Amino acid sequence: MSEITIQSLKNGPFLVKGTAKLFDADGKQIETKEAYGLCRCGASAHKPFCDGSHQKVDFQG
Ligand code: FES
């Protein structure tokens, strides 16, 4: 099994690396890449993924 890492980026998303399976609230699997960002600020138009909107809203976290 390959290693999966999740790193919280300063004022940005959670950076996920590895082959973790991601599911929506209905249990449907969401297709992912080998590395991706999960929105932590709530402003992304493409949730659950980060689309860079955290910079526009000046997310602090
Ligand atoms: S953390 Fe990047 S858009 Fe929310």
Side-chain angles (χ1 to χ4, degrees):
M1 178 179 261
S2 64
E3 182 175 89
I4 299 165
T5 62
I6 302 173
Q7 178 183 7
S8 178
L9 300 182
K10 185 173 183 177
N11 303 329
F14 288 115
L15 179 60
V16 181
K17 292 181 181 176
T19 55
K21 292 181 179 176
L22 183 65
F23 297 90
D24 68 14
D26 296 323
K28 182 180 171 190
Q29 187 168 355
I30 299 170
E31 192 171 321
T32 60
K33 299 177 180 176
E34 186 73 17
Y36 52 93
L38 289 176
C39 179
R40 205 159 62 98
C41 73
S44 175
H46 302 287
K47 293 181 189 79
F49 301 106
C50 170
D51 68 357
S53 294
H54 57 271
Q55 294 175 329
K56 295 178 192 162
V57 299
D58 195 27
F59 175 65
Q60 303 293 309

